[in-house]
Amino acid sequence: MKKLPLKIAFLLTVFFASSNLFAQDFQGKAYYISKTTMDLDQFGGQDMSAERKKQIQERMKSFLEKEYTLTFSKSESIYKEEEKLAAPGGGGGRGGFGASLTGGPKYKNVQTKEVIQDQEFFGKQFLVKDELKDLEWEMGTETKLIGQYTCFKATATVVPSGVDFSSFRGSRGRDQKSEVEKGKDSTDSNEPKAPKTIEVVAWYTPQIPVNQGPDDYWGLPGLILEINADRTTILCTKIVLNPKEKESIDKPKKGEEVTQAEYTEITTKKMEEMREMYGGRNGRGGGRGRN
C-alpha cells in the first residue's frame, strides 16, 4: 500500500481521534444493494432484437439485482444476501439458473486472514475456505458524501474469483467460425492465458474505522460504502452502529470443504459440460433426430 497523501493522513488522524467510541465489543450493520449489468452479445445474443434483450434482462433481474447485509465488528464480518419473495408469476426468487449457483453467507476475519463461504452448486453444498487475500489499494484524494459519511476514493486491480461467465458464449457463434479462426484458436489454446483482471473503485469512510467491506473487499482505513467493479456496483444504503441487540458473527460450517481454486475448477468444469450439452441440442447434434 502506498504512502498516504498529506491531506488524507491529516483527516484520518482527526477521524481516528474519535475511534475510542468504537470499543472492543463494537458492532455495526450495513445494508447494501448490488446491481450487475449483462452484455447479452457475449452469450450469443448479437441477433436478438432490443425487445427480446429487454425481456431477458427483466427475467434475470432477481439474479442481477440483490440486497445484502454486512454485520461487522473490528475483526470479523458476515455478508449475507437478503431473501426476497418472488413476485406472483414473475419467476423470481431462486428459480432457474440462480437456484443452481447460490452463494451463502461469507465470513471474513481480517486478523486471522480467514474467509469462509458456503456455496450451493446444482444441489450440492460446498464450504469454500481460503486465505483472505490482501488488496493493493491505491489511495486517492478525491472525496464524496454517501449519506452523512465523508468517503475517500481508492482503486485496486484484482483477479476476480469464481467462474468467468464471459467465456461461455452461445454455441451458434462458435459453430460459425471460419476454419482459419478455428485454426488460430487451436494454436492460441496452447499458450497460457493471462488471468483476467478488473479495476475496482472503492469509497470508504474513516468515520467508521474498521477495515471491513462488502463481499471480498476489505483492507482500507474505514468501512467501504461503495464498490464499482467491472459491471457490478455495490452501494450502502443504511448503517446501524452498536444496535441494542447484537448478532452473532458465526463461521459457516456446512458443506464439502474446498479451497476457492478447487471450487472454481469444479464449477468451471460443470459449466463446460452444460455448454457442450446445450450446443449438442441446438447445433449440428440437434438435427440428427429429424433425418
Side-chain angles (χ1 to χ4, degrees), residues 239-280:
I239 297 174
V240 178
L241 298 178
N242 286 320
K244 292 182 179 179
E245 295 185 10
K246 289 184 168 58
E247 298 182 23
S248 59
I249 301 177
D250 298 321
K251 299 179 182 180
K253 297 178 181 178
K254 296 181 180 180
E256 178 185 337
E257 189 171 317
V258 293
T259 65
Q260 180 62 57
E262 290 169 340
Y263 180 72
T264 300
E265 183 179 354
I266 291 168
T267 53
T268 300
K269 183 178 179 181
K270 181 65 175 179
M271 296 301 291
E272 287 282 3
E273 291 174 357
M274 288 183 62
R275 183 179 68 179
E276 293 301 321
M277 186 183 302
Y278 178 84

mmCIF file of all heavy atoms in Angstrom, residues 239-280:
data_model
loop_
_atom_site.group_PDB
_atom_site.id
_atom_site.type_symbol
_atom_site.label_atom_id
_atom_site.label_comp_id
_atom_site.label_asym_id
_atom_site.label_seq_id
_atom_site.Cartn_x
_atom_site.Cartn_y
_atom_site.Cartn_z
ATOM 1 N N ILE A 239 -26.810 2.347 7.585
ATOM 2 C CA ILE A 239 -25.843 1.840 8.565
ATOM 3 C C ILE A 239 -26.437 1.969 9.959
ATOM 4 O O ILE A 239 -27.003 3.006 10.317
ATOM 5 C CB ILE A 239 -24.519 2.620 8.500
ATOM 6 C CG1 ILE A 239 -23.851 2.441 7.133
ATOM 7 C CG2 ILE A 239 -23.556 2.148 9.603
ATOM 8 C CD1 ILE A 239 -22.606 3.288 6.945
ATOM 9 N N VAL A 240 -26.320 0.907 10.736
ATOM 10 C CA VAL A 240 -26.740 0.921 12.141
ATOM 11 C C VAL A 240 -25.515 0.581 12.974
ATOM 12 O O VAL A 240 -24.921 -0.488 12.812
ATOM 13 C CB VAL A 240 -27.864 -0.094 12.416
ATOM 14 C CG1 VAL A 240 -28.236 -0.072 13.904
ATOM 15 C CG2 VAL A 240 -29.086 0.210 11.555
ATOM 16 N N LEU A 241 -25.120 1.498 13.865
ATOM 17 C CA LEU A 241 -23.952 1.276 14.711
ATOM 18 C C LEU A 241 -24.387 0.920 16.124
ATOM 19 O O LEU A 241 -25.322 1.510 16.664
ATOM 20 C CB LEU A 241 -23.067 2.527 14.736
ATOM 21 C CG LEU A 241 -22.478 2.969 13.390
ATOM 22 C CD1 LEU A 241 -21.667 4.250 13.558
ATOM 23 C CD2 LEU A 241 -21.626 1.866 12.779
ATOM 24 N N ASN A 242 -23.705 -0.068 16.706
ATOM 25 C CA ASN A 242 -23.988 -0.530 18.062
ATOM 26 C C ASN A 242 -25.481 -0.748 18.306
ATOM 27 O O ASN A 242 -26.091 -0.097 19.163
ATOM 28 C CB ASN A 242 -23.422 0.461 19.090
ATOM 29 C CG ASN A 242 -21.914 0.373 19.187
ATOM 30 O OD1 ASN A 242 -21.345 -0.719 19.159
ATOM 31 N ND2 ASN A 242 -21.261 1.520 19.289
ATOM 32 N N PRO A 243 -26.091 -1.674 17.553
ATOM 33 C CA PRO A 243 -27.518 -1.958 17.769
ATOM 34 C C PRO A 243 -27.747 -2.520 19.169
ATOM 35 O O PRO A 243 -26.844 -3.109 19.776
ATOM 36 C CB PRO A 243 -27.827 -3.014 16.701
ATOM 37 C CG PRO A 243 -26.506 -3.643 16.395
ATOM 38 C CD PRO A 243 -25.491 -2.566 16.551
ATOM 39 N N LYS A 244 -28.951 -2.303 19.686
ATOM 40 C CA LYS A 244 -29.269 -2.785 21.033
ATOM 41 C C LYS A 244 -29.130 -4.295 21.133
ATOM 42 O O LYS A 244 -28.632 -4.833 22.124
ATOM 43 C CB LYS A 244 -30.692 -2.352 21.412
ATOM 44 C CG LYS A 244 -30.844 -0.848 21.603
ATOM 45 C CD LYS A 244 -32.268 -0.497 22.014
ATOM 46 C CE LYS A 244 -32.412 1.000 22.229
ATOM 47 N NZ LYS A 244 -33.801 1.369 22.619
ATOM 48 N N GLU A 245 -29.589 -4.988 20.092
ATOM 49 C CA GLU A 245 -29.465 -6.445 20.062
ATOM 50 C C GLU A 245 -28.371 -6.831 19.073
ATOM 51 O O GLU A 245 -28.533 -6.688 17.867
ATOM 52 C CB GLU A 245 -30.800 -7.079 19.667
ATOM 53 C CG GLU A 245 -31.913 -6.855 20.678
ATOM 54 C CD GLU A 245 -33.168 -7.613 20.299
ATOM 55 O OE1 GLU A 245 -33.107 -8.443 19.370
ATOM 56 O OE2 GLU A 245 -34.215 -7.362 20.930
ATOM 57 N N LYS A 246 -27.260 -7.306 19.601
ATOM 58 C CA LYS A 246 -26.149 -7.692 18.747
ATOM 59 C C LYS A 246 -26.384 -9.080 18.146
ATOM 60 O O LYS A 246 -27.017 -9.933 18.748
ATOM 61 C CB LYS A 246 -24.837 -7.674 19.539
ATOM 62 C CG LYS A 246 -24.363 -6.265 19.883
ATOM 63 C CD LYS A 246 -23.017 -6.308 20.581
ATOM 64 C CE LYS A 246 -22.405 -4.918 20.672
ATOM 65 N NZ LYS A 246 -23.244 -3.964 21.369
ATOM 66 N N GLU A 247 -25.868 -9.264 16.931
ATOM 67 C CA GLU A 247 -25.971 -10.546 16.241
ATOM 68 C C GLU A 247 -24.655 -11.305 16.355
ATOM 69 O O GLU A 247 -23.580 -10.706 16.359
ATOM 70 C CB GLU A 247 -26.305 -10.329 14.758
ATOM 71 C CG GLU A 247 -27.638 -9.642 14.519
ATOM 72 C CD GLU A 247 -27.939 -9.511 13.041
ATOM 73 O OE1 GLU A 247 -27.376 -10.309 12.254
ATOM 74 O OE2 GLU A 247 -28.712 -8.609 12.671
ATOM 75 N N SER A 248 -24.745 -12.601 16.442
ATOM 76 C CA SER A 248 -23.531 -13.414 16.478
ATOM 77 C C SER A 248 -22.959 -13.507 15.064
ATOM 78 O O SER A 248 -23.699 -13.643 14.086
ATOM 79 C CB SER A 248 -23.833 -14.810 17.016
ATOM 80 O OG SER A 248 -24.804 -15.457 16.213
ATOM 81 N N ILE A 249 -21.655 -13.385 14.968
ATOM 82 C CA ILE A 249 -20.961 -13.496 13.689
ATOM 83 C C ILE A 249 -20.306 -14.872 13.663
ATOM 84 O O ILE A 249 -19.201 -15.069 14.176
ATOM 85 C CB ILE A 249 -19.926 -12.362 13.510
ATOM 86 C CG1 ILE A 249 -20.618 -10.997 13.589
ATOM 87 C CG2 ILE A 249 -19.194 -12.508 12.177
ATOM 88 C CD1 ILE A 249 -19.670 -9.809 13.490
ATOM 89 N N ASP A 250 -21.023 -15.835 13.104
ATOM 90 C CA ASP A 250 -20.586 -17.227 13.149
ATOM 91 C C ASP A 250 -20.003 -17.666 11.808
ATOM 92 O O ASP A 250 -20.471 -17.255 10.738
ATOM 93 C CB ASP A 250 -21.763 -18.150 13.496
ATOM 94 C CG ASP A 250 -22.340 -17.832 14.876
ATOM 95 O OD1 ASP A 250 -21.545 -17.544 15.787
ATOM 96 O OD2 ASP A 250 -23.582 -17.872 15.023
ATOM 97 N N LYS A 251 -19.023 -18.536 11.878
ATOM 98 C CA LYS A 251 -18.440 -19.099 10.669
ATOM 99 C C LYS A 251 -19.398 -20.131 10.057
ATOM 100 O O LYS A 251 -19.962 -20.954 10.779
ATOM 101 C CB LYS A 251 -17.116 -19.803 10.983
ATOM 102 C CG LYS A 251 -16.037 -18.914 11.561
ATOM 103 C CD LYS A 251 -14.792 -19.745 11.855
ATOM 104 C CE LYS A 251 -13.703 -18.889 12.486
ATOM 105 N NZ LYS A 251 -12.473 -19.692 12.772
ATOM 106 N N PRO A 252 -19.594 -20.099 8.739
ATOM 107 C CA PRO A 252 -20.361 -21.176 8.085
ATOM 108 C C PRO A 252 -19.667 -22.516 8.324
ATOM 109 O O PRO A 252 -18.435 -22.586 8.378
ATOM 110 C CB PRO A 252 -20.328 -20.790 6.602
ATOM 111 C CG PRO A 252 -20.066 -19.305 6.601
ATOM 112 C CD PRO A 252 -19.179 -19.057 7.785
ATOM 113 N N LYS A 253 -20.451 -23.593 8.445
ATOM 114 C CA LYS A 253 -19.873 -24.890 8.796
ATOM 115 C C LYS A 253 -20.322 -26.043 7.910
ATOM 116 O O LYS A 253 -19.747 -27.126 7.976
ATOM 117 C CB LYS A 253 -20.226 -25.224 10.249
ATOM 118 C CG LYS A 253 -19.639 -24.253 11.266
ATOM 119 C CD LYS A 253 -20.065 -24.612 12.678
ATOM 120 C CE LYS A 253 -19.483 -23.622 13.689
ATOM 121 N NZ LYS A 253 -19.926 -23.936 15.076
ATOM 122 N N LYS A 254 -21.348 -25.835 7.078
ATOM 123 C CA LYS A 254 -21.910 -26.955 6.315
ATOM 124 C C LYS A 254 -21.301 -27.035 4.922
ATOM 125 O O LYS A 254 -21.006 -26.026 4.302
ATOM 126 C CB LYS A 254 -23.424 -26.801 6.204
ATOM 127 C CG LYS A 254 -24.159 -26.867 7.536
ATOM 128 C CD LYS A 254 -25.662 -26.733 7.338
ATOM 129 C CE LYS A 254 -26.403 -26.803 8.669
ATOM 130 N NZ LYS A 254 -27.866 -26.662 8.480
ATOM 131 N N GLY A 255 -21.146 -28.273 4.452
ATOM 132 C CA GLY A 255 -20.708 -28.484 3.085
ATOM 133 C C GLY A 255 -19.357 -29.162 2.973
ATOM 134 O O GLY A 255 -18.596 -29.252 3.944
ATOM 135 N N GLU A 256 -19.055 -29.632 1.760
ATOM 136 C CA GLU A 256 -17.755 -30.244 1.472
ATOM 137 C C GLU A 256 -16.688 -29.159 1.436
ATOM 138 O O GLU A 256 -16.802 -28.193 0.683
ATOM 139 C CB GLU A 256 -17.815 -30.979 0.123
ATOM 140 C CG GLU A 256 -16.493 -31.601 -0.291
ATOM 141 C CD GLU A 256 -16.557 -32.209 -1.683
ATOM 142 O OE1 GLU A 256 -17.672 -32.537 -2.141
ATOM 143 O OE2 GLU A 256 -15.488 -32.342 -2.312
ATOM 144 N N GLU A 257 -15.636 -29.321 2.211
ATOM 145 C CA GLU A 257 -14.620 -28.266 2.340
ATOM 146 C C GLU A 257 -13.691 -28.266 1.125
ATOM 147 O O GLU A 257 -13.088 -29.279 0.775
ATOM 148 C CB GLU A 257 -13.814 -28.490 3.618
ATOM 149 C CG GLU A 257 -12.895 -27.334 3.961
ATOM 150 C CD GLU A 257 -12.277 -27.477 5.337
ATOM 151 O OE1 GLU A 257 -13.018 -27.864 6.275
ATOM 152 O OE2 GLU A 257 -11.076 -27.212 5.474
ATOM 153 N N VAL A 258 -13.590 -27.107 0.478
ATOM 154 C CA VAL A 258 -12.712 -26.929 -0.681
ATOM 155 C C VAL A 258 -12.088 -25.541 -0.609
ATOM 156 O O VAL A 258 -12.577 -24.656 0.097
ATOM 157 C CB VAL A 258 -13.477 -27.073 -2.021
ATOM 158 C CG1 VAL A 258 -13.974 -28.486 -2.230
ATOM 159 C CG2 VAL A 258 -14.632 -26.071 -2.094
ATOM 160 N N THR A 259 -10.994 -25.349 -1.362
ATOM 161 C CA THR A 259 -10.423 -24.015 -1.495
ATOM 162 C C THR A 259 -11.164 -23.276 -2.610
ATOM 163 O O THR A 259 -11.923 -23.872 -3.377
ATOM 164 C CB THR A 259 -8.933 -24.078 -1.842
ATOM 165 O OG1 THR A 259 -8.788 -24.687 -3.149
ATOM 166 C CG2 THR A 259 -8.156 -24.883 -0.810
ATOM 167 N N GLN A 260 -10.913 -21.979 -2.725
ATOM 168 C CA GLN A 260 -11.551 -21.210 -3.790
ATOM 169 C C GLN A 260 -11.115 -21.723 -5.157
ATOM 170 O O GLN A 260 -11.928 -21.841 -6.087
ATOM 171 C CB GLN A 260 -11.205 -19.727 -3.659
ATOM 172 C CG GLN A 260 -11.815 -18.836 -4.727
ATOM 173 C CD GLN A 260 -13.330 -18.840 -4.704
ATOM 174 O OE1 GLN A 260 -13.946 -18.531 -3.695
ATOM 175 N NE2 GLN A 260 -13.957 -19.206 -5.820
ATOM 176 N N ALA A 261 -9.834 -22.058 -5.305
ATOM 177 C CA ALA A 261 -9.338 -22.564 -6.593
ATOM 178 C C ALA A 261 -10.015 -23.878 -6.949
ATOM 179 O O ALA A 261 -10.394 -24.105 -8.112
ATOM 180 C CB ALA A 261 -7.823 -22.742 -6.535
ATOM 181 N N GLU A 262 -10.185 -24.755 -5.967
ATOM 182 C CA GLU A 262 -10.843 -26.040 -6.213
ATOM 183 C C GLU A 262 -12.311 -25.840 -6.586
ATOM 184 O O GLU A 262 -12.831 -26.499 -7.494
ATOM 185 C CB GLU A 262 -10.724 -26.928 -4.972
ATOM 186 C CG GLU A 262 -9.309 -27.430 -4.723
ATOM 187 C CD GLU A 262 -9.160 -28.087 -3.358
ATOM 188 O OE1 GLU A 262 -10.002 -27.828 -2.466
ATOM 189 O OE2 GLU A 262 -8.193 -28.856 -3.176
ATOM 190 N N TYR A 263 -12.983 -24.924 -5.895
ATOM 191 C CA TYR A 263 -14.393 -24.666 -6.193
ATOM 192 C C TYR A 263 -14.556 -24.071 -7.593
ATOM 193 O O TYR A 263 -15.465 -24.452 -8.344
ATOM 194 C CB TYR A 263 -14.979 -23.721 -5.153
ATOM 195 C CG TYR A 263 -16.446 -23.404 -5.385
ATOM 196 C CD1 TYR A 263 -17.424 -24.360 -5.142
ATOM 197 C CD2 TYR A 263 -16.836 -22.157 -5.863
ATOM 198 C CE1 TYR A 263 -18.764 -24.088 -5.375
ATOM 199 C CE2 TYR A 263 -18.174 -21.877 -6.093
ATOM 200 C CZ TYR A 263 -19.129 -22.839 -5.852
ATOM 201 O OH TYR A 263 -20.453 -22.565 -6.094
ATOM 202 N N THR A 264 -13.665 -23.164 -7.958
ATOM 203 C CA THR A 264 -13.708 -22.576 -9.300
ATOM 204 C C THR A 264 -13.510 -23.644 -10.366
ATOM 205 O O THR A 264 -14.190 -23.651 -11.403
ATOM 206 C CB THR A 264 -12.640 -21.480 -9.443
ATOM 207 O OG1 THR A 264 -12.887 -20.446 -8.484
ATOM 208 C CG2 THR A 264 -12.665 -20.870 -10.837
ATOM 209 N N GLU A 265 -12.597 -24.575 -10.115
ATOM 210 C CA GLU A 265 -12.352 -25.668 -11.070
ATOM 211 C C GLU A 265 -13.589 -26.547 -11.216
ATOM 212 O O GLU A 265 -13.972 -26.939 -12.327
ATOM 213 C CB GLU A 265 -11.165 -26.503 -10.598
ATOM 214 C CG GLU A 265 -10.789 -27.626 -11.565
ATOM 215 C CD GLU A 265 -9.590 -28.434 -11.082
ATOM 216 O OE1 GLU A 265 -8.987 -28.057 -10.068
ATOM 217 O OE2 GLU A 265 -9.275 -29.454 -11.727
ATOM 218 N N ILE A 266 -14.245 -26.863 -10.101
ATOM 219 C CA ILE A 266 -15.447 -27.705 -10.128
ATOM 220 C C ILE A 266 -16.563 -27.029 -10.919
ATOM 221 O O ILE A 266 -17.201 -27.633 -11.780
ATOM 222 C CB ILE A 266 -15.924 -28.007 -8.687
ATOM 223 C CG1 ILE A 266 -14.928 -28.918 -7.979
ATOM 224 C CG2 ILE A 266 -17.316 -28.644 -8.699
ATOM 225 C CD1 ILE A 266 -15.156 -29.031 -6.480
ATOM 226 N N THR A 267 -16.814 -25.750 -10.631
ATOM 227 C CA THR A 267 -17.916 -25.041 -11.294
ATOM 228 C C THR A 267 -17.617 -24.787 -12.764
ATOM 229 O O THR A 267 -18.508 -24.885 -13.613
ATOM 230 C CB THR A 267 -18.209 -23.709 -10.584
ATOM 231 O OG1 THR A 267 -16.995 -22.944 -10.461
ATOM 232 C CG2 THR A 267 -18.772 -23.951 -9.193
ATOM 233 N N THR A 268 -16.363 -24.488 -13.083
ATOM 234 C CA THR A 268 -15.998 -24.255 -14.480
ATOM 235 C C THR A 268 -16.189 -25.516 -15.305
ATOM 236 O O THR A 268 -16.718 -25.480 -16.426
ATOM 237 C CB THR A 268 -14.548 -23.771 -14.584
ATOM 238 O OG1 THR A 268 -14.393 -22.549 -13.845
ATOM 239 C CG2 THR A 268 -14.163 -23.501 -16.037
ATOM 240 N N LYS A 269 -15.772 -26.653 -14.755
ATOM 241 C CA LYS A 269 -15.921 -27.927 -15.457
ATOM 242 C C LYS A 269 -17.391 -28.231 -15.710
ATOM 243 O O LYS A 269 -17.774 -28.674 -16.803
ATOM 244 C CB LYS A 269 -15.276 -29.049 -14.644
ATOM 245 C CG LYS A 269 -15.321 -30.400 -15.339
ATOM 246 C CD LYS A 269 -14.628 -31.467 -14.505
ATOM 247 C CE LYS A 269 -14.684 -32.830 -15.194
ATOM 248 N NZ LYS A 269 -14.019 -33.879 -14.376
ATOM 249 N N LYS A 270 -18.238 -27.998 -14.708
ATOM 250 C CA LYS A 270 -19.668 -28.256 -14.860
ATOM 251 C C LYS A 270 -20.283 -27.349 -15.916
ATOM 252 O O LYS A 270 -21.117 -27.786 -16.729
ATOM 253 C CB LYS A 270 -20.375 -28.054 -13.516
ATOM 254 C CG LYS A 270 -21.869 -28.328 -13.556
ATOM 255 C CD LYS A 270 -22.180 -29.781 -13.855
ATOM 256 C CE LYS A 270 -23.675 -30.063 -13.780
ATOM 257 N NZ LYS A 270 -23.999 -31.466 -14.100
ATOM 258 N N MET A 271 -19.881 -26.083 -15.924
ATOM 259 C CA MET A 271 -20.419 -25.148 -16.906
ATOM 260 C C MET A 271 -19.968 -25.514 -18.314
ATOM 261 O O MET A 271 -20.714 -25.351 -19.281
ATOM 262 C CB MET A 271 -19.987 -23.716 -16.557
ATOM 263 C CG MET A 271 -20.543 -23.196 -15.235
ATOM 264 S SD MET A 271 -22.346 -23.194 -15.179
ATOM 265 C CE MET A 271 -22.705 -21.905 -16.360
ATOM 266 N N GLU A 272 -18.737 -26.034 -18.449
ATOM 267 C CA GLU A 272 -18.261 -26.506 -19.751
ATOM 268 C C GLU A 272 -19.118 -27.682 -20.234
ATOM 269 O O GLU A 272 -19.485 -27.766 -21.407
ATOM 270 C CB GLU A 272 -16.793 -26.938 -19.644
ATOM 271 C CG GLU A 272 -15.799 -25.791 -19.501
ATOM 272 C CD GLU A 272 -15.518 -25.083 -20.801
ATOM 273 O OE1 GLU A 272 -16.137 -25.450 -21.834
ATOM 274 O OE2 GLU A 272 -14.682 -24.171 -20.811
ATOM 275 N N GLU A 273 -19.437 -28.596 -19.316
ATOM 276 C CA GLU A 273 -20.286 -29.737 -19.670
ATOM 277 C C GLU A 273 -21.668 -29.267 -20.121
ATOM 278 O O GLU A 273 -22.224 -29.791 -21.098
ATOM 279 C CB GLU A 273 -20.423 -30.671 -18.474
ATOM 280 C CG GLU A 273 -19.138 -31.403 -18.101
ATOM 281 C CD GLU A 273 -19.287 -32.207 -16.823
ATOM 282 O OE1 GLU A 273 -20.381 -32.137 -16.194
ATOM 283 O OE2 GLU A 273 -18.319 -32.893 -16.435
ATOM 284 N N MET A 274 -22.211 -28.274 -19.431
ATOM 285 C CA MET A 274 -23.522 -27.749 -19.807
ATOM 286 C C MET A 274 -23.473 -27.077 -21.170
ATOM 287 O O MET A 274 -24.406 -27.205 -21.966
ATOM 288 C CB MET A 274 -24.005 -26.751 -18.749
ATOM 289 C CG MET A 274 -24.422 -27.377 -17.442
ATOM 290 S SD MET A 274 -25.063 -26.138 -16.311
ATOM 291 C CE MET A 274 -26.481 -25.537 -17.222
ATOM 292 N N ARG A 275 -22.372 -26.380 -21.439
ATOM 293 C CA ARG A 275 -22.251 -25.709 -22.733
ATOM 294 C C ARG A 275 -22.204 -26.728 -23.866
ATOM 295 O O ARG A 275 -22.830 -26.554 -24.910
ATOM 296 C CB ARG A 275 -20.997 -24.832 -22.761
ATOM 297 C CG ARG A 275 -20.854 -24.050 -24.069
ATOM 298 C CD ARG A 275 -19.619 -23.180 -24.060
ATOM 299 N NE ARG A 275 -18.414 -24.006 -24.071
ATOM 300 C CZ ARG A 275 -17.193 -23.508 -24.090
ATOM 301 N NH1 ARG A 275 -17.010 -22.196 -24.053
ATOM 302 N NH2 ARG A 275 -16.132 -24.283 -24.103
ATOM 303 N N GLU A 276 -21.435 -27.824 -23.647
ATOM 304 C CA GLU A 276 -21.356 -28.858 -24.667
ATOM 305 C C GLU A 276 -22.720 -29.514 -24.886
ATOM 306 O O GLU A 276 -23.120 -29.801 -26.007
ATOM 307 C CB GLU A 276 -20.324 -29.917 -24.248
ATOM 308 C CG GLU A 276 -18.885 -29.411 -24.226
ATOM 309 C CD GLU A 276 -18.432 -28.900 -25.576
ATOM 310 O OE1 GLU A 276 -18.792 -29.524 -26.595
ATOM 311 O OE2 GLU A 276 -17.729 -27.866 -25.619
ATOM 312 N N MET A 277 -23.445 -29.752 -23.795
ATOM 313 C CA MET A 277 -24.769 -30.356 -23.888
ATOM 314 C C MET A 277 -25.727 -29.427 -24.633
ATOM 315 O O MET A 277 -26.492 -29.851 -25.505
ATOM 316 C CB MET A 277 -25.303 -30.652 -22.484
ATOM 317 C CG MET A 277 -26.617 -31.424 -22.472
ATOM 318 S SD MET A 277 -27.222 -31.645 -20.777
ATOM 319 C CE MET A 277 -25.830 -32.513 -20.055
ATOM 320 N N TYR A 278 -25.669 -28.141 -24.280
ATOM 321 C CA TYR A 278 -26.532 -27.155 -24.929
ATOM 322 C C TYR A 278 -26.208 -27.045 -26.413
ATOM 323 O O TYR A 278 -27.091 -26.998 -27.267
ATOM 324 C CB TYR A 278 -26.356 -25.798 -24.247
ATOM 325 C CG TYR A 278 -27.163 -24.682 -24.863
ATOM 326 C CD1 TYR A 278 -28.492 -24.484 -24.517
ATOM 327 C CD2 TYR A 278 -26.584 -23.813 -25.793
ATOM 328 C CE1 TYR A 278 -29.238 -23.461 -25.086
ATOM 329 C CE2 TYR A 278 -27.318 -22.797 -26.371
ATOM 330 C CZ TYR A 278 -28.641 -22.625 -26.010
ATOM 331 O OH TYR A 278 -29.373 -21.624 -26.574
ATOM 332 N N GLY A 279 -24.918 -27.043 -26.726
ATOM 333 C CA GLY A 279 -24.502 -26.947 -28.122
ATOM 334 C C GLY A 279 -24.938 -28.158 -28.922
ATOM 335 O O GLY A 279 -25.327 -28.059 -30.080
ATOM 336 N N GLY A 280 -24.910 -29.350 -28.272
ATOM 337 C CA GLY A 280 -25.326 -30.564 -28.958
ATOM 338 C C GLY A 280 -26.797 -30.556 -29.309
ATOM 339 O O GLY A 280 -27.220 -31.101 -30.318
#
